[in-house]
Coordinates of all heavy atoms in Angstrom, one line a residue:
P254 N -3.8 4.6 2.5 CA -2.4 5.0 2.8 C -1.9 4.5 4.1 O -0.7 4.4 4.4 CB -2.5 6.5 2.8 CG -3.9 6.9 2.6 CD -4.7 5.7 2.4
Q255 N -2.8 4.0 5.0 CA -2.4 3.5 6.3 C -1.5 2.3 6.2 O -0.5 2.2 6.9 CB -3.7 3.2 7.1 CG -3.3 2.6 8.5 CD -4.6 2.2 9.3 OE1 -5.7 2.6 8.9 NE2 -4.4 1.4 10.3
I256 N -1.8 1.4 5.3 CA -1.0 0.2 5.1 C 0.3 0.6 4.5 O 1.4 0.1 4.9 CB -1.7 -0.8 4.2 CG1 -3.0 -1.3 4.9 CG2 -0.8 -2.0 3.9 CD1 -3.9 -2.1 4.0
D257 N 0.3 1.5 3.5 CA 1.6 2.0 2.9 C 2.5 2.6 3.9 O 3.7 2.4 3.9 CB 1.3 2.9 1.8 CG 0.6 2.3 0.6 OD1 0.7 1.1 0.4 OD2 -0.1 3.0 -0.2
N258 N 1.9 3.5 4.8 CA 2.7 4.1 5.8 C 3.3 3.2 6.8 O 4.4 3.3 7.2 CB 1.8 5.2 6.5 CG 1.5 6.4 5.6 OD1 2.1 6.6 4.7 ND2 0.4 7.0 6.0
E259 N 2.5 2.2 7.2 CA 3.0 1.2 8.1 C 4.1 0.4 7.5 O 5.1 0.1 8.1 CB 1.8 0.3 8.6 CG 2.3 -0.7 9.6 CD 1.1 -1.6 10.1 OE1 0.0 -1.2 9.9 OE2 1.4 -2.6 10.8
Y260 N 3.9 0.0 6.2 CA 4.9 -0.8 5.5 C 6.2 0.0 5.4 O 7.3 -0.5 5.7 CB 4.4 -1.2 4.1 CG 5.3 -2.0 3.3 CD1 5.4 -3.4 3.6 CD2 6.0 -1.5 2.2 CE1 6.3 -4.2 2.8 CE2 6.9 -2.3 1.5 CZ 7.0 -3.6 1.8 OH 7.8 -4.4 1.0
H261 N 6.1 1.2 5.0 CA 7.3 2.1 4.9 C 8.0 2.2 6.3 O 9.2 2.1 6.4 CB 6.9 3.4 4.3 CG 8.1 4.3 4.2 ND1 8.4 5.3 5.2 CD2 9.1 4.4 3.2 CE1 9.5 5.9 4.8 NE2 9.9 5.4 3.6
S262 N 7.2 2.4 7.3 CA 7.8 2.6 8.6 C 8.5 1.3 9.1 O 9.6 1.4 9.7 CB 6.6 2.9 9.6 OG 7.1 2.9 10.9
L263 N 8.0 0.2 8.8 CA 8.7 -1.1 9.1 C 10.0 -1.2 8.3 O 11.0 -1.6 8.9 CB 7.7 -2.3 8.8 CG 6.5 -2.4 9.7 CD1 5.5 -3.4 9.2 CD2 7.0 -2.8 11.1
L264 N 10.0 -0.9 7.1 CA 11.2 -1.0 6.3 C 12.3 0.0 6.8 O 13.4 -0.4 6.9 CB 10.9 -0.7 4.8 CG 10.1 -1.7 4.1 CD1 9.8 -1.2 2.6 CD2 10.8 -3.1 4.1
V265 N 11.9 1.2 7.1 CA 12.8 2.2 7.6 C 13.5 1.7 8.9 O 14.6 2.0 9.2 CB 12.1 3.6 7.8 CG1 13.0 4.5 8.6 CG2 11.7 4.1 6.5
R266 N 12.7 1.0 9.7 CA 13.2 0.5 11.0 C 13.8 -0.9 10.9 O 14.1 -1.6 11.9 CB 12.1 0.5 12.1 CG 11.6 1.9 12.4 CD 10.5 1.9 13.4 NE 9.3 1.4 12.7 CZ 8.3 0.7 13.3 NH1 8.3 0.4 14.6 NH2 7.2 0.3 12.6
N267 N 14.1 -1.3 9.6 CA 14.7 -2.6 9.3 C 13.9 -3.8 9.9 O 14.5 -4.8 10.2 CB 16.1 -2.7 9.8 CG 17.0 -1.6 9.2 OD1 16.9 -1.4 8.0 ND2 17.9 -1.0 9.9
K268 N 12.6 -3.7 9.9 CA 11.7 -4.8 10.4 C 11.2 -5.5 9.2 O 10.0 -5.4 8.9 CB 10.6 -4.2 11.3 CG 11.2 -3.7 12.6 CD 10.1 -3.3 13.6 CE 10.8 -2.9 14.9 NZ 9.8 -2.8 16.0
Y269 N 12.1 -6.2 8.5 CA 11.7 -6.8 7.2 C 10.7 -7.9 7.3 O 9.9 -8.1 6.5 CB 13.0 -7.2 6.5 CG 14.0 -6.1 6.2 CD1 15.2 -6.0 6.8 CD2 13.6 -5.0 5.4 CE1 16.1 -5.0 6.6 CE2 14.5 -4.0 5.1 CZ 15.7 -3.9 5.7 OH 16.5 -2.9 5.5
R270 N 10.9 -8.7 8.3 CA 9.9 -9.8 8.5 C 8.5 -9.3 8.7 O 7.6 -9.8 8.1 CB 10.4 -10.7 9.7 CG 9.5 -11.9 9.9 CD 10.1 -12.9 10.8 NE 11.3 -13.4 10.1 CZ 12.2 -14.2 10.6 NH1 12.2 -14.5 11.9 NH2 13.3 -14.6 9.9
E271 N 8.3 -8.3 9.6 CA 7.0 -7.7 9.8 C 6.5 -7.1 8.5 O 5.3 -7.2 8.2 CB 7.0 -6.7 10.9 CG 7.2 -7.3 12.3 CD 8.7 -7.4 12.7 OE1 9.6 -7.2 11.8 OE2 9.0 -7.6 13.8
A272 N 7.3 -6.4 7.8 CA 6.9 -5.8 6.5 C 6.5 -6.8 5.5 O 5.5 -6.7 4.8 CB 8.1 -5.0 5.9
S273 N 7.2 -7.9 5.5 CA 6.8 -9.1 4.6 C 5.5 -9.6 5.0 O 4.7 -9.9 4.1 CB 7.9 -10.1 4.6 OG 7.6 -11.2 3.8
R274 N 5.2 -9.8 6.3 CA 3.9 -10.3 6.7 C 2.8 -9.3 6.3 O 1.7 -9.8 5.9 CB 3.9 -10.4 8.2 CG 4.7 -11.6 8.7 CD 4.4 -11.9 10.2 NE 5.5 -12.7 10.7 CZ 6.3 -12.5 11.7 NH1 6.2 -11.3 12.3 NH2 7.2 -13.3 12.0
L275 N 3.1 -8.1 6.4 CA 2.1 -7.1 6.0 C 1.8 -7.2 4.5 O 0.6 -7.2 4.1 CB 2.5 -5.7 6.4 CG 1.6 -4.5 6.2 CD1 0.4 -4.7 7.2 CD2 2.3 -3.2 6.5
K276 N 2.8 -7.3 3.7 CA 2.7 -7.4 2.3 C 1.9 -8.7 1.9 O 1.0 -8.7 1.1 CB 4.1 -7.5 1.6 CG 4.0 -7.6 0.1 CD 5.4 -7.7 -0.5 CE 5.9 -9.1 -0.5 NZ 5.2 -10.1 -1.3
N277 N 2.2 -9.8 2.6 CA 1.6 -11.1 2.4 C 0.1 -11.0 2.7 O -0.8 -11.6 2.1 CB 2.2 -12.2 3.2 CG 3.6 -12.5 2.7 OD1 4.0 -12.2 1.6 ND2 4.4 -13.2 3.6
A278 N -0.2 -10.3 3.8 CA -1.6 -10.2 4.3 C -2.5 -9.3 3.3 O -3.7 -9.6 3.2 CB -1.6 -9.6 5.6
F279 N -1.9 -8.4 2.6 CA -2.7 -7.5 1.8 C -2.4 -7.6 0.3 O -3.2 -8.1 -0.5 CB -2.5 -6.0 2.2 CG -3.0 -5.8 3.6 CD1 -2.2 -5.8 4.7 CD2 -4.4 -5.6 3.8 CE1 -2.6 -5.5 6.0 CE2 -4.9 -5.4 5.1 CZ -4.0 -5.3 6.2
E280 N -1.2 -7.2 -0.1 CA -0.9 -7.1 -1.5 C -0.9 -8.4 -2.2 O -1.4 -8.5 -3.3 CB 0.5 -6.4 -1.6 CG 0.8 -6.1 -3.0 CD 2.1 -5.3 -3.1 OE1 3.2 -6.0 -3.2 OE2 2.1 -4.1 -3.1
D281 N -0.3 -9.5 -1.6 CA -0.2 -10.7 -2.3 C -1.6 -11.3 -2.6 O -1.8 -11.9 -3.7 CB 0.6 -11.7 -1.4 CG 2.1 -11.4 -1.4 OD1 2.5 -10.5 -2.1 OD2 2.8 -12.1 -0.7
K282 N -2.5 -11.2 -1.7 CA -3.9 -11.8 -1.9 C -4.6 -11.0 -3.0 O -5.2 -11.7 -3.9 CB -4.7 -11.7 -0.6 CG -4.2 -12.7 0.4 CD -5.0 -12.6 1.7 CE -4.3 -13.6 2.7 NZ -5.0 -13.6 4.0
L283 N -4.5 -9.7 -3.0 CA -5.1 -8.9 -4.1 C -4.5 -9.3 -5.5 O -5.2 -9.6 -6.4 CB -4.9 -7.4 -3.9 CG -5.5 -6.5 -4.9 CD1 -7.0 -6.3 -4.6 CD2 -4.8 -5.2 -5.0
F284 N -3.1 -9.3 -5.5 CA -2.5 -9.7 -6.8 C -2.8 -11.1 -7.2 O -2.9 -11.3 -8.4 CB -1.0 -9.4 -6.7 CG -0.6 -8.0 -7.0 CD1 -0.6 -7.1 -5.9 CD2 -0.3 -7.6 -8.3 CE1 -0.2 -5.7 -6.2 CE2 0.1 -6.3 -8.5 CZ 0.1 -5.3 -7.5
D285 N -2.9 -12.0 -6.3 CA -3.2 -13.4 -6.7 C -4.5 -13.4 -7.4 O -4.6 -14.1 -8.5 CB -3.3 -14.3 -5.5 CG -1.9 -14.7 -4.9 OD1 -0.9 -14.4 -5.6 OD2 -1.9 -15.2 -3.8
V286 N -5.5 -12.8 -6.9 CA -6.8 -12.8 -7.6 C -6.8 -12.0 -8.9 O -7.2 -12.5 -9.9 CB -7.9 -12.2 -6.6 CG1 -9.2 -12.0 -7.3 CG2 -8.1 -13.1 -5.4
F287 N -6.3 -10.8 -8.8 CA -6.3 -9.9 -10.0 C -5.5 -10.5 -11.2 O -5.9 -10.4 -12.3 CB -5.7 -8.5 -9.7 CG -6.8 -7.6 -9.0 CD1 -7.7 -8.0 -8.2 CD2 -6.7 -6.2 -9.3 CE1 -8.6 -7.2 -7.6 CE2 -7.6 -5.4 -8.8 CZ -8.6 -5.8 -7.9
M288 N -4.3 -11.0 -10.9 CA -3.5 -11.6 -12.0 C -4.1 -12.9 -12.5 O -3.9 -13.2 -13.7 CB -2.1 -11.8 -11.5 CG -1.4 -10.5 -11.1 SD -1.5 -9.1 -12.3 CE -0.3 -9.8 -13.5
N289 N -4.7 -13.6 -11.7 CA -5.4 -14.9 -12.1 C -6.5 -14.6 -13.1 O -6.7 -15.3 -14.1 CB -5.9 -15.7 -11.0 CG -6.4 -17.0 -11.4 OD1 -5.8 -17.8 -12.2 ND2 -7.6 -17.4 -10.8
I290 N -7.3 -13.6 -12.8 CA -8.4 -13.2 -13.6 C -8.0 -12.3 -14.8 O -8.5 -12.4 -15.9 CB -9.5 -12.5 -12.8 CG1 -10.1 -13.5 -11.8 CG2 -10.6 -11.9 -13.7 CD1 -11.0 -12.8 -10.7
G291 N -7.1 -11.5 -14.6 CA -6.6 -10.5 -15.5 C -6.6 -9.1 -14.9 O -7.6 -8.7 -14.3
W292 N -5.5 -8.4 -14.9 CA -5.3 -7.2 -14.2 C -6.3 -6.1 -14.6 O -7.0 -5.6 -13.7 CB -3.9 -6.6 -14.4 CG -3.7 -5.3 -13.7 CD1 -3.7 -4.1 -14.3 CD2 -3.6 -5.2 -12.3 NE1 -3.5 -3.1 -13.3 CE2 -3.4 -3.8 -12.1 CE3 -3.5 -6.0 -11.2 CZ2 -3.3 -3.2 -10.8 CZ3 -3.4 -5.5 -9.9 CH2 -3.2 -4.1 -9.7
H293 N -6.5 -5.8 -15.9 CA -7.4 -4.7 -16.3 C -8.9 -5.1 -16.0 O -9.6 -4.2 -15.5 CB -7.2 -4.4 -17.7 CG -5.9 -3.8 -18.0 ND1 -4.8 -4.4 -18.5 CD2 -5.4 -2.5 -17.7 CE1 -3.7 -3.6 -18.5 NE2 -4.1 -2.4 -18.1
L294 N -9.3 -6.3 -16.3 CA -10.6 -6.7 -16.0 C -10.9 -6.6 -14.5 O -12.0 -6.1 -14.1 CB -10.9 -8.1 -16.5 CG -12.3 -8.7 -16.2 CD1 -13.4 -7.9 -16.8 CD2 -12.3 -10.1 -16.8
S295 N -10.0 -7.1 -13.7 CA -10.2 -7.1 -12.2 C -10.2 -5.6 -11.7 O -11.1 -5.3 -10.9 CB -9.1 -7.8 -11.5 OG -9.1 -9.2 -11.9
L296 N -9.3 -4.8 -12.2 CA -9.2 -3.4 -11.7 C -10.5 -2.7 -12.1 O -11.1 -2.0 -11.3 CB -8.0 -2.7 -12.4 CG -7.8 -1.3 -11.9 CD1 -7.6 -1.2 -10.4 CD2 -6.6 -0.7 -12.6
R297 N -11.0 -2.8 -13.3 CA -12.2 -2.2 -13.8 C -13.4 -2.7 -12.9 O -14.3 -1.9 -12.5 CB -12.5 -2.4 -15.2 CG -11.7 -1.6 -16.2 CD -12.2 -1.6 -17.6 NE -12.9 -2.8 -18.1 CZ -12.3 -3.9 -18.6 NH1 -11.0 -4.0 -18.7 NH2 -13.0 -4.9 -18.9
T298 N -13.5 -4.0 -12.7 CA -14.6 -4.5 -11.9 C -14.6 -4.0 -10.5 O -15.6 -3.6 -9.9 CB -14.5 -6.1 -11.9 OG1 -14.5 -6.6 -13.2 CG2 -15.6 -6.7 -11.1
A299 N -13.4 -3.9 -9.9 CA -13.3 -3.4 -8.5 C -13.7 -1.9 -8.5 O -14.4 -1.4 -7.6 CB -11.8 -3.6 -8.0
L300 N -13.2 -1.1 -9.4 CA -13.5 0.3 -9.5 C -15.0 0.6 -9.7 O -15.6 1.5 -9.1 CB -12.7 1.0 -10.5 CG -11.2 1.1 -10.3 CD1 -10.4 1.6 -11.5 CD2 -10.9 1.9 -9.0
K301 N -15.6 -0.3 -10.5 CA -17.1 -0.2 -10.7 C -17.8 -0.5 -9.4 O -18.7 0.2 -9.0 CB -17.5 -1.2 -11.7 CG -17.2 -0.8 -13.1 CD -17.7 -1.9 -14.0 CE -17.0 -1.9 -15.4 NZ -17.5 -3.0 -16.2
E302 N -17.4 -1.5 -8.7 CA -18.0 -1.9 -7.4 C -17.9 -0.8 -6.4 O -18.8 -0.6 -5.6 CB -17.4 -3.2 -6.9 CG -17.8 -3.6 -5.5 CD -19.3 -4.0 -5.5 OE1 -19.9 -4.4 -6.5 OE2 -19.9 -4.0 -4.4
L303 N -16.8 -0.1 -6.4 CA -16.6 1.0 -5.5 C -17.2 2.4 -6.0 O -17.0 3.4 -5.3 CB -15.1 1.2 -5.2 CG -14.5 -0.1 -4.5 CD1 -12.9 0.1 -4.5 CD2 -15.0 -0.3 -3.1
N304 N -17.9 2.3 -7.1 CA -18.5 3.5 -7.7 C -17.5 4.6 -8.0 O -17.7 5.8 -7.9 CB -19.6 4.0 -6.9 CG -20.8 3.1 -6.8 OD1 -21.2 2.5 -7.8 ND2 -21.3 2.9 -5.6
L305 N -16.3 4.2 -8.5 CA -15.2 5.1 -8.8 C -15.2 5.3 -10.3 O -14.5 6.3 -10.8 CB -13.9 4.6 -8.3 CG -13.8 4.6 -6.8 CD1 -12.5 4.0 -6.3 CD2 -14.0 6.0 -6.2
I306 N -15.8 4.4 -11.1 CA -15.9 4.6 -12.5 C -17.3 4.2 -13.0 O -18.0 3.5 -12.2 CB -14.8 3.8 -13.3 CG1 -15.0 2.3 -13.1 CG2 -13.4 4.3 -12.9 CD1 -14.1 1.4 -14.1
S307 N -17.6 4.5 -14.2 CA -18.9 4.1 -14.8 C -19.1 2.6 -14.8 O -18.2 1.8 -14.9 CB -19.0 4.6 -16.2 OG -20.2 4.2 -16.8
K308 N -20.3 2.2 -14.6 CA -20.7 0.8 -14.6 C -20.6 0.2 -16.0 O -20.7 -1.0 -16.2 CB -22.0 0.5 -14.0 CG -22.2 0.9 -12.6 CD -22.0 -0.2 -11.6 CE -22.3 0.2 -10.2 NZ -21.4 -0.4 -9.3
Y309 N -20.6 1.1 -17.0 CA -20.6 0.6 -18.4 C -19.3 0.8 -19.1 O -18.6 1.8 -19.0 CB -21.7 1.5 -19.2 CG -23.0 1.4 -18.5 CD1 -23.4 2.5 -17.7 CD2 -23.8 0.3 -18.6 CE1 -24.7 2.4 -17.0 CE2 -25.1 0.3 -18.0 CZ -25.5 1.3 -17.2 OH -26.7 1.3 -16.5
D310 N -18.9 -0.3 -19.8 CA -17.6 -0.3 -20.5 C -17.9 -0.2 -22.0 O -19.0 -0.6 -22.5 CB -16.9 -1.7 -20.3 CG -16.2 -1.8 -19.0 OD1 -15.7 -0.8 -18.5 OD2 -16.3 -2.9 -18.4
R311 N -17.0 0.4 -22.7 CA -17.2 0.5 -24.1 C -16.7 -0.8 -24.7 O -15.9 -1.5 -24.1 CB -16.4 1.7 -24.7 CG -14.9 1.6 -24.6 CD -14.3 2.9 -25.1 NE -12.9 2.8 -25.3 CZ -11.9 2.8 -24.4 NH1 -12.3 2.8 -23.1 NH2 -10.7 2.6 -24.7
I312 N -17.2 -1.1 -25.9 CA -16.7 -2.3 -26.6 C -15.3 -2.1 -27.0 O -14.9 -0.9 -27.3 CB -17.6 -2.5 -27.9 CG1 -19.0 -2.7 -27.5 CG2 -17.1 -3.6 -28.8 CD1 -20.0 -2.8 -28.6
P313 N -14.4 -3.0 -26.9 CA -14.5 -4.4 -26.8 C -14.3 -5.0 -25.4 O -14.0 -6.2 -25.3 CB -13.5 -4.9 -27.8 CG -12.3 -4.0 -27.6 CD -13.0 -2.7 -27.3
F314 N -14.3 -4.2 -24.4 CA -14.0 -4.7 -23.0 C -14.9 -5.8 -22.6 O -16.2 -5.7 -22.7 CB -14.0 -3.6 -22.0 CG -12.9 -2.6 -22.1 CD1 -13.1 -1.3 -22.1 CD2 -11.6 -3.1 -22.1 CE1 -12.0 -0.4 -22.2 CE2 -10.5 -2.2 -22.1 CZ -10.7 -0.9 -22.2
S315 N -14.4 -6.9 -22.1 CA -15.2 -8.0 -21.7 C -15.6 -7.7 -20.2 O -15.1 -6.8 -19.6 CB -14.4 -9.3 -21.7 OG -13.2 -9.2 -20.9
Q316 N -16.6 -8.4 -19.8 CA -17.2 -8.3 -18.5 C -16.7 -9.5 -17.6 O -16.6 -10.6 -18.1 CB -18.7 -8.2 -18.5 CG -19.2 -7.1 -19.3 CD -18.8 -5.8 -18.8 OE1 -19.0 -5.5 -17.6 NE2 -18.3 -4.9 -19.7
A317 N -16.6 -9.3 -16.3 CA -16.2 -10.4 -15.4 C -17.5 -11.3 -15.3 O -18.6 -10.8 -15.3 CB -15.8 -9.8 -14.1
T318 N -17.2 -12.6 -15.1 CA -18.3 -13.5 -14.8 C -18.8 -13.2 -13.4 O -18.1 -12.6 -12.6 CB -17.8 -14.9 -15.0 OG1 -16.9 -15.2 -14.0 CG2 -17.3 -15.2 -16.4
N319 N -19.9 -13.8 -13.0 CA -20.4 -13.6 -11.6 C -19.4 -14.2 -10.7 O -19.1 -13.6 -9.6 CB -21.7 -14.3 -11.5 CG -22.8 -13.5 -12.2 OD1 -22.7 -12.3 -12.4 ND2 -23.9 -14.2 -12.5
E320 N -18.8 -15.3 -11.0 CA -17.8 -16.0 -10.1 C -16.5 -15.1 -10.0 O -16.0 -14.9 -8.9 CB -17.3 -17.3 -10.7 CG -16.4 -18.1 -9.8 CD -16.0 -19.4 -10.4 OE1 -16.8 -20.0 -11.1 OE2 -14.9 -19.9 -10.1
Q321 N -16.1 -14.5 -11.1 CA -14.9 -13.6 -11.0 C -15.3 -12.3 -10.2 O -14.4 -11.9 -9.4 CB -14.5 -13.2 -12.5 CG -13.9 -14.3 -13.2 CD -13.7 -14.0 -14.7 OE1 -14.5 -13.2 -15.3 NE2 -12.6 -14.5 -15.3
K322 N -16.5 -11.8 -10.4 CA -16.9 -10.6 -9.7 C -16.8 -10.9 -8.2 O -16.3 -10.1 -7.4 CB -18.3 -10.2 -10.1 CG -18.4 -9.4 -11.4 CD -19.8 -9.1 -11.6 CE -20.0 -8.6 -13.1 NZ -21.4 -8.3 -13.4
K323 N -17.3 -12.0 -7.8 CA -17.4 -12.4 -6.4 C -15.9 -12.5 -5.8 O -15.7 -12.0 -4.7 CB -18.1 -13.7 -6.2 CG -18.2 -14.1 -4.7 CD -18.9 -15.4 -4.5 CE -19.0 -15.8 -3.1 NZ -18.2 -15.3 -2.1
M324 N -15.0 -13.1 -6.6 CA -13.6 -13.2 -6.1 C -13.0 -11.8 -5.9 O -12.3 -11.5 -5.0 CB -12.8 -14.1 -7.1 CG -13.2 -15.5 -7.1 SD -12.5 -16.4 -8.5 CE -10.7 -16.2 -8.2
I325 N -13.2 -11.0 -6.9 CA -12.7 -9.6 -6.9 C -13.2 -8.8 -5.8 O -12.5 -8.2 -5.0 CB -12.9 -8.9 -8.3 CG1 -12.1 -9.6 -9.4 CG2 -12.5 -7.4 -8.2 CD1 -12.6 -9.3 -10.8
I326 N -14.5 -8.8 -5.7 CA -15.2 -8.0 -4.6 C -14.8 -8.5 -3.2 O -14.5 -7.7 -2.3 CB -16.7 -8.0 -4.9 CG1 -17.0 -7.2 -6.1 CG2 -17.5 -7.5 -3.7 CD1 -18.5 -7.4 -6.7
D327 N -14.7 -9.8 -3.1 CA -14.4 -10.4 -1.8 C -13.0 -9.9 -1.3 O -12.8 -9.4 -0.2 CB -14.4 -11.9 -1.8 CG -15.8 -12.5 -1.7 OD1 -16.8 -11.7 -1.5 OD2 -15.9 -13.7 -2.0
V328 N -12.0 -10.0 -2.2 CA -10.6 -9.6 -1.9 C -10.5 -8.1 -1.7 O -9.8 -7.6 -0.8 CB -9.6 -10.1 -2.9 CG1 -9.6 -9.3 -4.2 CG2 -8.2 -10.1 -2.3
V329 N -11.2 -7.3 -2.4 CA -11.2 -5.8 -2.3 C -11.8 -5.4 -0.9 O -11.2 -4.6 -0.2 CB -11.9 -5.1 -3.5 CG1 -12.1 -3.7 -3.2 CG2 -11.1 -5.3 -4.7
Y330 N -13.0 -6.0 -0.6 CA -13.6 -5.6 0.7 C -12.8 -6.1 1.9 O -12.8 -5.4 2.9 CB -15.1 -6.0 0.7 CG -15.9 -5.1 -0.1 CD1 -16.7 -5.5 -1.2 CD2 -16.0 -3.7 0.3 CE1 -17.5 -4.6 -1.9 CE2 -16.8 -2.8 -0.5 CZ -17.5 -3.3 -1.5 OH -18.3 -2.4 -2.2
K331 N -12.2 -7.2 1.8 CA -11.3 -7.7 2.9 C -10.2 -6.8 3.0 O -9.8 -6.4 4.2 CB -10.8 -9.1 2.6 CG -11.8 -10.2 2.8 CD -11.3 -11.6 2.5 CE -12.5 -12.6 2.5 NZ -12.0 -13.9 2.1
L332 N -9.6 -6.3 2.0 CA -8.5 -5.3 2.0 C -9.0 -4.0 2.7 O -8.3 -3.5 3.5 CB -7.9 -5.1 0.6 CG -6.8 -4.1 0.5 CD1 -5.5 -4.6 1.2 CD2 -6.5 -3.8 -0.9
L333 N -10.1 -3.5 2.2 CA -10.7 -2.3 2.8 C -11.0 -2.4 4.3 O -10.7 -1.5 5.1 CB -11.9 -1.9 2.0 CG -11.7 -1.4 0.6 CD1 -13.0 -1.2 -0.1 CD2 -10.9 -0.1 0.6
E334 N -11.5 -3.6 4.7 CA -11.8 -3.8 6.1 C -10.6 -3.9 6.9 O -10.6 -3.3 8.0 CB -12.6 -5.2 6.2 CG -13.1 -5.5 7.6 CD -14.1 -4.5 8.1 OE1 -14.9 -3.9 7.4 OE2 -14.0 -4.2 9.3
K335 N -9.5 -4.5 6.4 CA -8.3 -4.5 7.2 C -7.6 -3.2 7.3 O -6.8 -3.0 8.1 CB -7.3 -5.6 6.6 CG -7.8 -7.0 6.8 CD -6.8 -7.9 6.2 CE -7.2 -9.4 6.4 NZ -6.2 -10.3 5.9
N336 N -7.9 -2.3 6.3 CA -7.3 -1.0 6.3 C -8.0 0.0 7.1 O -7.6 1.2 7.1 CB -7.2 -0.5 4.8 CG -6.2 0.6 4.6 OD1 -5.2 0.6 5.4 ND2 -6.4 1.4 3.7
K337 N -9.0 -0.3 7.9 CA -9.7 0.7 8.7 C -8.9 1.0 9.9 O -8.1 0.3 10.4 CB -11.1 0.1 9.1 CG -12.0 0.1 8.0 CD -13.4 -0.3 8.5 CE -14.4 -0.2 7.3 NZ -15.7 -0.5 7.7

């Protein structure tokens, strides 16, 4: 919520350029990776990595490749690190 609060605060104060930089730094990178791989697959992979859902999917859900997992996990942990 820290990023969301900061983004909202910037918008309320009409600091659109700073808000845009914040969005570019966080949201755009996440969406670039997730949408390239596939939203649902990326979201499930990220939630599994964070131990927020079961590691096992029911059929017919596909699994992320090792390369896709690395891309997803990298962007998620960078986002979490910047949000501290």
Side-chain angles (χ1 to χ4, degrees):
Q255 178 182 345
I256 295 170
D257 293 335
N258 289 338
E259 183 177 349
Y260 183 75
H261 180 262
S262 175
L263 290 168
L264 291 178
V265 168
R266 293 178 290 150
N267 296 324
K268 295 189 175 191
Y269 300 115
R270 185 166 290 170
E271 291 90 344
S273 181
R274 284 189 197 122
L275 189 64
K276 182 185 84 63
N277 292 340
F279 294 99
E280 188 175 90
D281 289 356
K282 291 179 183 180
L283 180 85
F284 275 88
D285 285 346
V286 171
F287 277 36
M288 296 309 286
N289 185 46
I290 293 170
W292 179 256
H293 291 101
L294 176 59
S295 297
L296 185 58
R297 284 194 329 273
T298 302
L300 292 173
K301 287 179 198 177
E302 175 65 22
L303 298 171
N304 293 315
L305 296 173
I306 64 171
S307 172
K308 299 263 186 214
Y309 305 101
D310 284 321
R311 68 185 194 283
I312 297 176
F314 287 128
S315 60
Q316 302 297 310
T318 66
N319 288 336
E320 182 180 334
Q321 290 171 328
K322 283 180 191 175
K323 182 178 180 342
M324 291 170 59
I325 294 164
I326 291 166
D327 285 350
V328 76
V329 167
Y330 281 118
K331 284 178 187 173
L332 179 68
L333 289 172
E334 184 62 33
K335 287 182 180 182
N336 197 29
K337 285 186 178 181

